[in-house]
């Protein structure tokens, strides 16, 4: 049963990282000035928080279930 939760955690992590990567690409494309391109505000943009929650949930599930132990 633990391997099912561990697999779900891995899938959530991969989906979260890939989704956040595409979101960052869209945010960077929407920025018009070069000085904002390297800004740390990109990581704190409100569109990224849904991906951070998904990544956090995956890490929490992995930690609680113990990963692929046994």
């Amino acid at each position: 049963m633990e391997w099912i939760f561990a697999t779900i955690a891995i899938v959530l992590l991969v989906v979260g990282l890939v989704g956040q990567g595409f979101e960052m690409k869209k945010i960077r494309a929407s920025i018009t000035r070069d000085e904002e391109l390297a800004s740390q505000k990109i990581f704190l943009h409100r569109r990224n928080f849904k991906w951070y929650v998904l990544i956090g949930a995956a890490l929490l599930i992995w930690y609680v279930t113990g990963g692929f132990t046994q």
Side-chain angles (χ1 to χ4, degrees):
M1 187 68 169
E2 289 87 19
W3 66 272
I4 294 172
F5 287 116
T7 306
I8 291 171
I10 290 171
V11 169
L12 285 176
L13 182 68
V14 169
V15 168
L17 289 173
V18 170
Q20 200 260 344
F22 281 115
E23 196 72 52
M24 292 285 286
K25 182 179 176 183
K26 287 193 281 186
I27 292 170
R28 285 185 183 268
S30 68
I31 292 177
T32 57
R33 296 185 304 198
D34 285 337
E35 63 266 7
E36 290 183 6
L37 198 58
S39 174
Q40 292 182 356
K41 292 180 184 178
I42 292 175
F43 290 102
L44 297 177
H45 198 275
R46 61 181 171 87
R47 294 191 308 194
N48 283 329
F49 285 115
K50 62 185 169 199
W51 301 111
Y52 294 149
V53 168
L54 195 63
I55 293 168
L59 294 175
L60 184 67
I61 291 171
W62 181 269
Y63 179 72
V64 168
T65 59
F68 285 119
T69 56
Q70 297 179 355

